Amino acid sequence: MKILLLGIGNVLYADEGIGVHFVNYIADNYQFTHESHQLKLLDGGTLAQGLIPIICQYDYLIVVDTVNANGVEAGEVYFFDFDKAPKEIDWQGSAHEVEMLQTLNMMEMVGDRPKTFVLGVTPTVLEPMVLGLTPKVAAAVPLMESSLLSHLVSLGFTATRIADHSIESLIPDSYKRGVTTGESI
């Protein structure tokens, strides 16, 4: 099985960059192995529909992004099957969040969407030209990390910690990293 861990977001809009920052954080801190599955980590930025040719090559997709949810505090973490989204998720967040939803729905209509999970956190602020995370979203990273690692272990992966970089230390260079972070295993 080919699995894609896809970070989505605009790193120039504070918390909206969490998907990209988080995937970079995981790529820098962990190595994943599996006897038959392949895992690729990808910084998808705000490409949305431009990612369709890449996404359709995978059997399984985990999207990391902000998620807008009614009646919850900023920094709340969600990990869910895209086909069974919690009722409080309203998909009315940022422009890239709506575009990603439309992209996944279009892929479903033509039968190209892989089995999809979403690892999301509700943002505190989507403020232009702020490179970094607010304290509430930064505090959500350990729960996001443990949720992702538990899910990958449930798929049979072994996760080996290879470094101990903080997410904050990776943010200043996140926009320089390019589209692909991590390698296929």
Side-chain angles (χ1 to χ4, degrees):
M1 177 165 58
K2 290 177 64 178
I3 301 167
L4 178 61
L5 178 63
L6 178 64
I8 296 294
N10 187 336
V11 299
L12 298 177
Y13 280 75
D15 289 346
E16 189 167 311
I18 185 63
V20 170
H21 299 315
F22 184 77
V23 167
N24 289 335
Y25 168 78
I26 294 297
D28 281 8
N29 284 305
Y30 289 93
Q31 180 177 9
F32 297 96
T33 55
H34 193 286
E35 59 185 47
S36 60
H37 297 335
Q38 295 176 344
L39 176 64
K40 178 109 173 173
L41 287 76
L42 184 69
D43 166 356
T46 58
L47 296 174
Q49 294 173 9
L51 294 169
I52 290 173
I54 296 169
I55 294 171
C56 70
Q57 297 176 38
Y58 289 85
D59 307 303
Y60 199 94
L61 173 65
I62 302 170
V63 177
V64 184
D65 198 359
T66 57
V67 291
N68 199 47
N70 291 317
V72 300
E73 293 288 319
E76 291 291 320
V77 174
Y78 288 88
F79 188 76
F80 57 90
D81 182 325
F82 179 75
D83 295 320
K84 300 174 185 171
K87 64 180 187 251
E88 64 268 21
I89 302 293
D90 68 10
W91 304 109
Q92 299 301 311
S94 65
H96 87 263
E97 183 181 335
V98 172
E99 284 181 28
M100 196 64 211
L101 172 65
Q102 291 170 346
T103 298
L104 294 172
N105 285 335
M106 283 189 304
M107 291 182 76
E108 176 65 23
M109 288 185 332
V110 297
D112 282 344
R113 182 174 58 84
K115 178 68 176 163
T116 303
F117 283 82
V118 176
L119 173 57
V121 61
T122 54
T124 301
V125 65
L126 302 177
E127 196 169 309
M129 300 310 293
V130 174
L131 187 64
L133 302 173
T134 59
K136 286 185 178 182
V137 169
V141 169
L143 180 55
M144 293 174 71
E145 181 177 358
S146 66
S147 298
L148 175 66
L149 294 176
S150 293
H151 187 72
L152 291 173
V153 167
S154 77
L155 296 174
F157 281 91
T158 299
T160 305
R161 184 123 196 167
I162 58 171
D164 196 24
H165 302 288
S166 69
I167 198 165
E168 292 84 6
S169 71
L170 302 174
I171 288 173
D173 293 325
S174 62
Y175 69 95
K176 298 176 187 177
R177 296 180 75 121
V179 175
T180 302
T181 58
E183 295 298 324
S184 293
I185 298 171

